[in-house]
Amino acid sequence: MSTAAATATTTRTLPALNRPVAVLGAVAAALIANLIIWGIGEAAGGSFTTNTDGKVSDVAPGGVILMSVVPLLIGLTAAVLISYKWTGVLRVAAVVGSVLSIATIGMTLTAGFDTASTIALSLMHVVLVPAMVIALEGVRRHIAEQ
């Protein structure tokens, strides 16, 4: 006697998100993730300081908060506002924002941070990518459902 096991296929999709929830949720999620990465980097011995022209600059935690929140908040807000007239901007913004986030890792690599700080700060740039993509795709799905 043979039995066939029923296999259930589950399809995971991103939820539809209204504009404020998408923007604020993405910013909060990225900020929390980046603060966790900062904590791990600090525990690994990262100083998060750089010396430029004899001036020491400390980028954490204030810089982490500022550089996590401000660019993401401005970019996502601009994209969702434009999406009232042109929905296609959401996919364009996801690509452009992701490319800019990854490209700006170059500035971190050349800033003269110690290894632990460089790795942590670079990962913080990467964290912004899924936050942007999920938020913007969620808004796109919300618009499509209406």
Side-chain angles (χ1 to χ4, degrees):
M1 184 154 114
S2 71
T3 60
T7 58
T9 58
T10 57
T11 304
R12 294 182 183 211
T13 60
L14 297 174
L17 301 170
N18 67 36
R19 288 168 176 91
V21 168
V23 171
L24 298 176
V27 169
L31 176 59
I32 290 167
N34 282 346
L35 287 174
I36 290 169
I37 292 170
W38 167 70
I40 293 168
E42 191 171 70
S47 67
F48 294 90
T49 60
T50 184
N51 191 344
T52 308
D53 298 328
K55 183 178 177 185
V56 176
S57 299
D58 187 7
V59 297
V64 169
I65 294 168
L66 183 70
M67 295 309 290
S68 295
V69 171
V70 173
L72 195 55
L73 187 61
I74 291 170
L76 289 176
T77 300
V80 299
L81 289 175
I82 294 169
S83 73
Y84 280 106
K85 294 289 185 186
W86 177 43
T87 306
V89 74
L90 297 170
R91 292 255 168 100
V92 172
V95 171
V96 170
S98 297
V99 168
L100 288 174
S101 182
I102 299 301
T104 54
I105 292 173
M107 295 187 315
T108 301
L109 297 175
T110 60
F113 291 104
D114 58 78
T115 302
S117 299
T118 299
I119 292 169
L121 290 167
S122 297
L123 286 174
M124 290 177 199
H125 287 255
V126 176
V127 162
L128 299 180
V129 174
M132 279 184 283
V133 171
I134 290 168
L136 294 170
E137 185 63 19
V139 172
R140 194 189 68 73
R141 288 178 185 266
H142 180 73
I143 292 169
E145 286 180 358
Q146 292 180 340

PDB file of all heavy atoms in Angstrom, residues 18-30 73 76-77 135:
ATOM      1  N   ASN A  18       0.084  50.810   2.738  1.00  0.00           N
ATOM      2  CA  ASN A  18      -0.243  52.182   2.373  1.00  0.00           C
ATOM      3  C   ASN A  18       1.028  53.027   2.497  1.00  0.00           C
ATOM      4  O   ASN A  18       2.015  52.616   3.101  1.00  0.00           O
ATOM      5  CB  ASN A  18      -1.417  52.730   3.184  1.00  0.00           C
ATOM      6  CG  ASN A  18      -1.113  52.896   4.653  1.00  0.00           C
ATOM      7  OD1 ASN A  18      -0.017  53.249   5.044  1.00  0.00           O
ATOM      8  ND2 ASN A  18      -2.120  52.639   5.480  1.00  0.00           N
ATOM      9  N   ARG A  19       1.000  54.189   1.927  1.00  0.00           N
ATOM     10  CA  ARG A  19       2.212  54.999   1.826  1.00  0.00           C
ATOM     11  C   ARG A  19       2.855  55.345   3.166  1.00  0.00           C
ATOM     12  O   ARG A  19       4.066  55.137   3.331  1.00  0.00           O
ATOM     13  CB  ARG A  19       1.923  56.248   0.998  1.00  0.00           C
ATOM     14  CG  ARG A  19       1.737  55.937  -0.481  1.00  0.00           C
ATOM     15  CD  ARG A  19       1.162  57.149  -1.227  1.00  0.00           C
ATOM     16  NE  ARG A  19       1.070  56.916  -2.658  1.00  0.00           N
ATOM     17  CZ  ARG A  19       0.002  56.408  -3.266  1.00  0.00           C
ATOM     18  NH1 ARG A  19      -1.067  56.067  -2.559  1.00  0.00           N
ATOM     19  NH2 ARG A  19       0.009  56.243  -4.575  1.00  0.00           N
ATOM     20  N   PRO A  20       2.113  55.861   4.144  1.00  0.00           N
ATOM     21  CA  PRO A  20       2.764  56.198   5.419  1.00  0.00           C
ATOM     22  C   PRO A  20       3.366  54.979   6.130  1.00  0.00           C
ATOM     23  O   PRO A  20       4.467  55.052   6.673  1.00  0.00           O
ATOM     24  CB  PRO A  20       1.640  56.816   6.256  1.00  0.00           C
ATOM     25  CG  PRO A  20       0.626  57.276   5.271  1.00  0.00           C
ATOM     26  CD  PRO A  20       0.711  56.318   4.120  1.00  0.00           C
ATOM     27  N   VAL A  21       2.650  53.869   6.113  1.00  0.00           N
ATOM     28  CA  VAL A  21       3.157  52.658   6.761  1.00  0.00           C
ATOM     29  C   VAL A  21       4.427  52.181   6.064  1.00  0.00           C
ATOM     30  O   VAL A  21       5.401  51.789   6.719  1.00  0.00           O
ATOM     31  CB  VAL A  21       2.080  51.541   6.764  1.00  0.00           C
ATOM     32  CG1 VAL A  21       2.676  50.204   7.168  1.00  0.00           C
ATOM     33  CG2 VAL A  21       0.935  51.927   7.684  1.00  0.00           C
ATOM     34  N   ALA A  22       4.447  52.233   4.751  1.00  0.00           N
ATOM     35  CA  ALA A  22       5.624  51.795   4.006  1.00  0.00           C
ATOM     36  C   ALA A  22       6.837  52.653   4.328  1.00  0.00           C
ATOM     37  O   ALA A  22       7.921  52.134   4.617  1.00  0.00           O
ATOM     38  CB  ALA A  22       5.334  51.829   2.500  1.00  0.00           C
ATOM     39  N   VAL A  23       6.662  53.951   4.286  1.00  0.00           N
ATOM     40  CA  VAL A  23       7.793  54.860   4.522  1.00  0.00           C
ATOM     41  C   VAL A  23       8.278  54.751   5.963  1.00  0.00           C
ATOM     42  O   VAL A  23       9.465  54.504   6.218  1.00  0.00           O
ATOM     43  CB  VAL A  23       7.418  56.324   4.185  1.00  0.00           C
ATOM     44  CG1 VAL A  23       8.507  57.279   4.637  1.00  0.00           C
ATOM     45  CG2 VAL A  23       7.157  56.473   2.696  1.00  0.00           C
ATOM     46  N   LEU A  24       7.384  54.922   6.909  1.00  0.00           N
ATOM     47  CA  LEU A  24       7.788  54.913   8.313  1.00  0.00           C
ATOM     48  C   LEU A  24       8.256  53.537   8.760  1.00  0.00           C
ATOM     49  O   LEU A  24       9.201  53.417   9.550  1.00  0.00           O
ATOM     50  CB  LEU A  24       6.650  55.421   9.193  1.00  0.00           C
ATOM     51  CG  LEU A  24       6.230  56.869   8.920  1.00  0.00           C
ATOM     52  CD1 LEU A  24       5.031  57.259   9.777  1.00  0.00           C
ATOM     53  CD2 LEU A  24       7.394  57.826   9.144  1.00  0.00           C
ATOM     54  N   GLY A  25       7.614  52.493   8.256  1.00  0.00           N
ATOM     55  CA  GLY A  25       8.028  51.135   8.597  1.00  0.00           C
ATOM     56  C   GLY A  25       9.414  50.813   8.075  1.00  0.00           C
ATOM     57  O   GLY A  25      10.238  50.223   8.781  1.00  0.00           O
ATOM     58  N   ALA A  26       9.694  51.212   6.838  1.00  0.00           N
ATOM     59  CA  ALA A  26      11.017  50.963   6.254  1.00  0.00           C
ATOM     60  C   ALA A  26      12.097  51.726   7.003  1.00  0.00           C
ATOM     61  O   ALA A  26      13.173  51.186   7.286  1.00  0.00           O
ATOM     62  CB  ALA A  26      11.027  51.341   4.775  1.00  0.00           C
ATOM     63  N   VAL A  27      11.815  52.969   7.325  1.00  0.00           N
ATOM     64  CA  VAL A  27      12.794  53.784   8.052  1.00  0.00           C
ATOM     65  C   VAL A  27      13.050  53.184   9.434  1.00  0.00           C
ATOM     66  O   VAL A  27      14.208  53.043   9.860  1.00  0.00           O
ATOM     67  CB  VAL A  27      12.328  55.255   8.150  1.00  0.00           C
ATOM     68  CG1 VAL A  27      13.192  56.046   9.113  1.00  0.00           C
ATOM     69  CG2 VAL A  27      12.332  55.899   6.764  1.00  0.00           C
ATOM     70  N   ALA A  28      12.000  52.809  10.140  1.00  0.00           N
ATOM     71  CA  ALA A  28      12.165  52.229  11.480  1.00  0.00           C
ATOM     72  C   ALA A  28      12.914  50.899  11.420  1.00  0.00           C
ATOM     73  O   ALA A  28      13.821  50.655  12.232  1.00  0.00           O
ATOM     74  CB  ALA A  28      10.791  52.040  12.134  1.00  0.00           C
ATOM     75  N   ALA A  29      12.557  50.050  10.466  1.00  0.00           N
ATOM     76  CA  ALA A  29      13.220  48.746  10.346  1.00  0.00           C
ATOM     77  C   ALA A  29      14.702  48.907  10.019  1.00  0.00           C
ATOM     78  O   ALA A  29      15.555  48.235  10.614  1.00  0.00           O
ATOM     79  CB  ALA A  29      12.523  47.906   9.282  1.00  0.00           C
ATOM     80  N   ALA A  30      15.011  49.795   9.086  1.00  0.00           N
ATOM     81  CA  ALA A  30      16.412  50.024   8.717  1.00  0.00           C
ATOM     82  C   ALA A  30      17.187  50.613   9.887  1.00  0.00           C
ATOM     83  O   ALA A  30      18.331  50.220  10.136  1.00  0.00           O
ATOM     84  CB  ALA A  30      16.497  50.940   7.499  1.00  0.00           C
ATOM     85  N   LEU A  73      14.260  58.376   4.397  1.00  0.00           N
ATOM     86  CA  LEU A  73      13.014  59.129   4.567  1.00  0.00           C
ATOM     87  C   LEU A  73      12.761  60.064   3.385  1.00  0.00           C
ATOM     88  O   LEU A  73      11.652  60.119   2.845  1.00  0.00           O
ATOM     89  CB  LEU A  73      13.062  59.922   5.875  1.00  0.00           C
ATOM     90  CG  LEU A  73      11.782  60.632   6.298  1.00  0.00           C
ATOM     91  CD1 LEU A  73      10.662  59.639   6.507  1.00  0.00           C
ATOM     92  CD2 LEU A  73      12.033  61.416   7.583  1.00  0.00           C
ATOM     93  N   LEU A  76      12.207  57.754   0.020  1.00  0.00           N
ATOM     94  CA  LEU A  76      10.921  57.046   0.016  1.00  0.00           C
ATOM     95  C   LEU A  76       9.749  58.017  -0.041  1.00  0.00           C
ATOM     96  O   LEU A  76       8.766  57.767  -0.755  1.00  0.00           O
ATOM     97  CB  LEU A  76      10.802  56.148   1.248  1.00  0.00           C
ATOM     98  CG  LEU A  76      11.676  54.912   1.278  1.00  0.00           C
ATOM     99  CD1 LEU A  76      11.511  54.172   2.601  1.00  0.00           C
ATOM    100  CD2 LEU A  76      11.379  53.991   0.113  1.00  0.00           C
ATOM    101  N   THR A  77       9.844  59.113   0.691  1.00  0.00           N
ATOM    102  CA  THR A  77       8.762  60.101   0.668  1.00  0.00           C
ATOM    103  C   THR A  77       8.600  60.683  -0.732  1.00  0.00           C
ATOM    104  O   THR A  77       7.466  60.802  -1.232  1.00  0.00           O
ATOM    105  CB  THR A  77       9.027  61.218   1.692  1.00  0.00           C
ATOM    106  OG1 THR A  77       9.107  60.637   2.992  1.00  0.00           O
ATOM    107  CG2 THR A  77       7.931  62.259   1.662  1.00  0.00           C
ATOM    108  N   ALA A 135       9.387  48.219   0.940  1.00  0.00           N
ATOM    109  CA  ALA A 135       8.456  49.332   1.128  1.00  0.00           C
ATOM    110  C   ALA A 135       7.833  49.768  -0.193  1.00  0.00           C
ATOM    111  O   ALA A 135       6.612  49.926  -0.297  1.00  0.00           O
ATOM    112  CB  ALA A 135       9.170  50.508   1.782  1.00  0.00           C
TER     113      ALA A 135
END
